[in-house]
Amino acid sequence: MGFLTKHLSSDHIFTGFNQISKSVNGFATLLLVPIFISPEEQGYWFTFSGLAALVMLADLGFSNLILQLSAHEFAHLHFDKDRIIKGDERYLKRLSTLFTFTLRWITTIVLLSVPVILFIGYCLFSFRNTEVYWFIPWIIFVIGAAMTFVNNVILYFFEGCDSVGIVQRMRSVIVIFMTLTMCVTLVLKLGLLALSVSVLASAILGSILILKEFSPAISGFIEESKTFSHQWGGEVIPLFWRYAVSWASGYFIFQMYTPVMFHFHGPVEAGKIGISITLWMGIFSISNVWVSAVTPKLNMLVSKKEWMARDNLFSKNLILSCITFMASAAMVFLLIFLLKGKVAIVDKFVDTTSMSFLAAAWFLQIIVNTLAIYLRAYKEEPLVIPSFLSALYIVITTLLCVKFLPPKYFFLGFLSSYLWGVPWVISIFYQKRKTESHNRWVFKMGSYLR
């Protein structure tokens, strides 16, 4: 108990509760989907989710960039008791124009991406003869996913404004509501509509909660923006193209597997892939709570040039994330060993070899993700080339594996990409630390000589 009291902040607690809520959602999905829908519908269910990640792909890292930019500006500001942002007038005006810039940007993304994603899904699903009713559920699902995307970007903005606990609490409420809606509609045997309706309903709730919590701040931003103008495009675009390459690569690194399996082996095998990836992404998310909860603070500490506090916060939370993942993975494999052949749901997952590949890959992703957050706190994106080459490598090797190797080696390309990717990212990290130490030394010597 003393250990938890020492290391847990309210941001950690609410971030953890949000990830637990997501895990409950994932568990409900793992438990109820195989019971209430057919194996073929299960394949469509997880393929919907895989294609919905194209909405996140349209984001191209913009949401994370906005979190970092808002954190750097908010480092000199604060919320008052009425939830209105106060502080240095210069930074308040910059933050206000950053918010209105964000709204214009995400509106443009949604208007451009939604028709394209609807068309891609139609092309994939319409060429397969099936009894599954997918057309209307697909349209509703994409609309809900687009609304969720808009809400997420706005919530990322306010997370950067040192509101991690509040935002994560809101996210928890949204996930719980989505889970309850999904469970009820599954029990009512609505099939794929259960997924679509739950996503759309939770997106509507998210919009309501954002307006309820942050309307004073949003109103203040709009008023400030009427009297001040700042061309954020000049600051965002040079960074954005780098984020765009990394995040586009991320889709192929993490989200391509279910659609690929659906294409080559049909919806039943795609369902096994989807449900297994859902499990390990959930474990990753829970383990990553330690790091995600302090991401805005890392950016704020960089903005204030408080290097030692930044390094202590970084190293402590990386270690805690790794320990959490290893403990969770050990529990999963223990349960598989004990329940294999005894509980039907265990047989819905991929084989043990594939599960081992996924476990190892997602553990290494904990390290890569934390180092990336550290490096991006400088408002830089040094991982463009590693991300792009990893995605290219994974696409090629995964297609080769699915065509020429047994199914248990499907994730071989995903795992093997980390064998050369992790050392490369660590090298970039240490090079950054070396450059930073040199710059600090030069600054101190200059101050001394003056």
Side-chain angles (χ1 to χ4, degrees):
M1 181 64 78
F3 175 84
L4 291 177
T5 303
K6 180 179 178 181
H7 292 286
L8 281 175
S9 65
S10 61
D11 290 348
H12 283 117
I13 291 170
F14 284 115
T15 303
F17 186 68
N18 178 37
Q19 296 304 332
I20 291 171
S21 302
K22 290 181 179 179
S23 298
V24 171
N25 177 269
F27 179 77
T29 302
L30 299 178
L31 180 65
L32 297 179
V33 166
I35 294 175
F36 288 101
I37 67 176
S38 69
E40 189 175 11
E41 283 180 308
Q42 178 177 312
Y44 277 85
W45 181 291
F46 288 107
T47 304
F48 271 26
S49 300
L51 289 176
L54 288 171
V55 179
M56 301 299 116
L57 175 61
D59 172 45
L60 293 174
F62 181 75
S63 54
N64 283 267
L65 175 57
I66 287 302
L67 182 151
Q68 291 167 335
L69 292 175
S70 63
H72 277 263
E73 302 303 323
F74 191 83
H76 310 276
L77 302 168
H78 64 276
F79 281 98
D80 68 7
K81 60 183 179 62
D82 297 317
R83 300 298 295 163
I84 298 173
I85 296 178
K86 301 288 187 180
D88 189 304
E89 191 69 18
R90 173 172 172 266
Y91 288 100
L92 179 57
K93 291 182 180 297
R94 283 174 57 87
L95 187 66
S96 299
T97 55
L98 178 61
F99 181 78
T100 54
F101 172 83
T102 300
L103 289 183
R104 291 193 299 270
W105 186 288
I106 59 178
T107 300
T108 302
I109 289 175
V110 167
L111 292 176
L112 292 175
S113 63
V114 166
V116 174
I117 294 167
L118 283 170
F119 178 73
I120 291 173
Y122 178 80
C123 290
L124 178 64
F125 300 131
S126 62
F127 289 110
R128 183 174 290 274
N129 293 324
T130 179
E131 297 292 326
V132 176
Y133 178 65
W134 60 266
F135 184 69
I136 297 300
W138 173 240
I139 293 174
I140 296 173
F141 181 79
V142 172
I143 293 171
M147 290 181 62
T148 301
F149 160 69
V150 173
N151 291 340
N152 278 336
V153 175
I154 295 172
L155 290 174
Y156 270 115
F157 178 94
F158 282 108
E159 275 193 296
C161 298
D162 202 22
S163 299
V164 173
I166 294 171
V167 168
Q168 292 296 325
R169 186 179 64 211
M170 293 168 63
R171 292 186 191 274
S172 300
V173 172
I174 294 167
V175 172
I176 290 170
F177 178 75
M178 180 172 66
T179 303
L180 291 174
T181 305
M182 182 190 70
C183 291
V184 170
T185 49
L186 274 173
V187 171
L188 292 175
K189 298 184 178 181
L190 295 185
L192 287 177
L193 276 172
L195 174 62
S196 305
V197 170
S198 62
V199 170
L200 179 60
S202 62
I204 293 171
L205 175 64
S207 299
I208 293 171
L209 292 177
I210 288 171
L211 291 175
K212 180 180 178 181
E213 181 65 41
F214 294 113
S215 57
I218 292 172
S219 299
F221 289 152
I222 293 172
E223 288 300 316
E224 288 286 347
S225 298
K226 291 178 180 178
T227 59
F228 180 77
S229 177
H230 181 75
Q231 299 301 317
W232 278 102
E235 294 187 40
V236 171
I237 292 175
L239 279 171
F240 175 70
W241 78 264
R242 294 176 174 272
Y243 277 69
V245 173
S246 294
W247 255 258
S249 301
Y251 175 81
F252 295 99
I253 293 172
F254 303 118
Q255 300 289 346
M256 64 171 285
Y257 308 101
T258 306
V260 167
M261 185 60 75
F262 186 97
H263 175 75
F264 282 97
H265 294 290
V268 175
E269 291 300 319
K272 290 183 179 181
I273 294 293
I275 207 168
S276 302
I277 291 176
T278 298
L279 171 66
W280 288 107
M281 288 184 74
I283 293 174
F284 170 84
S285 297
I286 291 174
S287 306
N288 196 48
V289 162
W290 299 102
V291 176
S292 59
V294 300
T295 297
K297 284 187 171 59
L298 287 171
N299 283 270
M300 293 170 71
L301 290 170
V302 170
S303 181
K304 295 177 180 179
K305 295 181 171 56
E306 297 180 11
W307 311 118
M308 186 172 294
R310 183 274 320 271
D311 288 347
N312 290 337
L313 191 66
F314 161 79
S315 56
K316 178 184 74 175
N317 286 280
L318 171 58
I319 292 170
L320 290 169
S321 292
C322 290
I323 292 172
T324 304
F325 188 95
M326 289 187 290
S328 301
M331 181 64 67
V332 167
F333 282 106
L334 177 61
L335 289 174
I336 290 174
F337 175 76
L338 294 175
L339 302 178
K340 187 74 172 177
K342 300 176 183 178
V343 178
I345 191 174
V346 177
D347 297 323
K348 300 289 184 179
F349 293 92
V350 294
D351 59 274
T352 306
T353 300
S354 295
M355 291 289 273
S356 301
F357 285 177
L358 283 170
W362 279 103
F363 173 75
L364 293 172
Q365 180 57 28
I366 285 281
I367 298 171
V368 170
N369 180 70
T370 307
L371 295 179
I373 287 172
Y374 181 101
L375 294 166
R376 289 167 183 152
Y378 292 88
K379 295 196 287 188
E380 298 175 359
E381 175 48 285
L383 303 183
V384 177
I385 296 176
S387 297
F388 174 77
L389 291 181
S390 290
L392 183 63
Y393 173 87
I394 287 172
V395 168
I396 294 171
T397 54
T398 299
L399 291 175
L400 291 174
C401 288
V402 78
K403 283 181 69 67
F404 300 111
L405 294 178
K408 67 179 181 179
Y409 296 114
F410 181 61
F411 292 109
L412 183 59
F414 179 40
L415 175 59
S416 63
S417 69
Y418 286 94
L419 300 181
W420 54 268
V422 171
W424 192 355
V425 173
I426 292 174
S427 174
I428 293 171
F429 169 76
Y430 277 109
Q431 185 61 41
K432 179 65 179 178
R433 292 294 300 273
K434 182 178 178 181
T435 303
E436 180 191 279
S437 298
H438 174 74
N439 291 340
R440 283 194 226 170
W441 181 83
V442 171
F443 177 79
K444 288 181 179 179
M445 289 299 296
S447 300
Y448 175 78
L449 292 174
R450 285 196 297 269

